[in-house]
Amino acid sequence: MRIAIIGAGPAGLYAGTLLRRHFPDSDIEIYERNPENVTWGFGVVFSDTALDFLREDDPETHAAIVPHMEMWRDLTLDVLGERVAIDGVGFAAVGRLHLLQLLTARAREVGLSPIFDADIGDLSRFQDYDLIIGADGLNSLVRQSDDFGVTLDHLDNKFVWYGTKRPFETLTQSFRQSRHGRFNAHHYRYTPDMSTFIVETDSATWRAAGFDGMDEPAARAVCEEIFADVLEGAPLVANNSNWRNFPKLWCEAWHRDNKVLIGDALHTAHFSIGSGTRLAMEDAIALVRALKDHSGAVRDGLAAYQAARQPIVKKIVTAANQSADWYEGFAARMDMPAWEFADSYIRRAGRIDDDRLRKLAPAFMAGLDIYRAKQGAAG
């Protein structure tokens, strides 16, 4: 096969590596519009077991990535200074740029030569290729080249992605009242001395704070003021840190002719569930497995990829959308007592009851039971 992969993010790089392994005689080209070693954002987070699929299927890549990850077992909610720990919700994080460098190195180890700083423009140059893989993110050129049954909406909340040179013990959600309104920060370390710090608020508060008329340094200064007690003097670090609305993207058709989509070119999952990068890499695995199972027959393999993978992703994206809906109303929920707020938070995706939560987070449930008993006695 002659294969073009458009996009050298985690999905594209990993797809190339897997294709080289299973189709060693194929001509595989990877194109990336950005220069090498350039990306936006800071750390990416996985659940603590999210890379188990790599260990089972690709121990070399697993061994390359895991030693560079920061890991922790609990999640912390900080509601107006009152902290509630939720045990059993483990995570692992790694710098986005570092992850891309590791995956680029793996691609080169198997004989691929990703082409960076590539201005594709359109797909005409690939008309004689057997397979075109769109791994080119939200603004996918491949997706825009055909009708993939796209649904694209945006959430109302505004968010901005920073880093900070202050490591946090766990993934923490800090909810704060400011003179402008209510804000939330999602923050977690991804190296021993560096953390991701995502600031979020509703659009009305965002406008009331004047962010729509501020440049980036001024907006960063306001965020540092709002979360001064959380940052403890550490400055926020910008990297293409612009306020945005989260895009909810879904494609009903995953392939057209010899074109196929993976990762954020195909679907998005709200950052509050930490599954975007995992979903992208698992898409790559599912695509290559389907092609392998059909001996490289592209049309049959692409149909099998969608049939097997789409229902799985749909469940995760549905849960991510429910989580996103919870965040859309987080400001009003801050009026709840901290334990009730935490209980609402952990159940936000609608997939967990008391019995399951007792197994997942026994210490949290013990604390919640004590709170409930006190409330009952007071009532």
Side-chain angles (χ1 to χ4, degrees), residues 80 157-158 174-185 199-206 211 226-227 329-336 341:
L80 302 174
N157 278 9
K158 295 282 189 177
S174 294
F175 298 85
R176 291 293 183 268
Q177 176 74 51
S178 78
R179 56 193 171 90
H180 312 290
R182 291 174 171 180
F183 288 79
N184 172 34
V199 178
E200 181 179 11
T201 191
D202 61 82
S203 59
T205 300
W206 180 79
F211 286 119
I226 293 167
F227 292 100
F330 81 81
R333 290 185 175 91
M334 287 172 61
D335 291 329
M336 302 166 68
F341 182 94

Side-chain angles (χ1 to χ4, degrees), residues 59-191:
E60 294 87 359
T61 300
H62 184 270
I65 296 174
V66 169
H68 303 279
M69 302 188 86
E70 293 292 309
M71 299 185 182
W72 56 94
R73 291 297 307 155
D74 296 345
L75 179 150
T76 305
L77 296 180
D78 180 345
V79 188
L80 302 174
E82 186 173 353
R83 297 169 69 87
V84 177
I86 303 177
D87 53 316
V89 189
F91 290 94
V94 65
R96 177 173 172 81
L97 178 58
H98 197 182
L99 177 63
L100 291 174
Q101 291 170 335
L102 293 169
L103 291 173
T104 300
R106 282 288 296 140
R108 286 174 172 150
E109 285 171 9
V110 299
L112 300 178
S113 300
I115 301 168
F116 292 93
D117 212 5
D119 183 12
I120 300 299
D122 60 59
L123 301 181
S124 59
R125 74 175 74 179
F126 306 115
Q127 59 185 347
D128 295 328
Y129 283 59
D130 299 292
L131 177 62
I132 302 171
I133 300 175
D136 46 346
L138 182 66
N139 299 314
S140 170
L141 172 65
V142 178
R143 191 184 68 245
Q144 294 172 23
S145 73
D146 213 323
D147 181 9
F148 286 90
V150 174
T151 300
L152 177 60
D153 300 310
H154 288 81
L155 297 177
D156 181 68
N157 278 9
K158 295 282 189 177
F159 75 97
V160 59
W161 206 305
Y162 293 113
T164 184
K165 293 184 178 180
R166 185 191 168 217
F168 295 95
E169 185 176 348
T170 71
L171 189 154
T172 305
Q173 303 273 317
S174 294
F175 298 85
R176 291 293 183 268
Q177 176 74 51
S178 78
R179 56 193 171 90
H180 312 290
R182 291 174 171 180
F183 288 79
N184 172 34
H186 312 236
H187 47 94
Y188 55 86
R189 72 181 187 277
Y190 63 88
T191 72

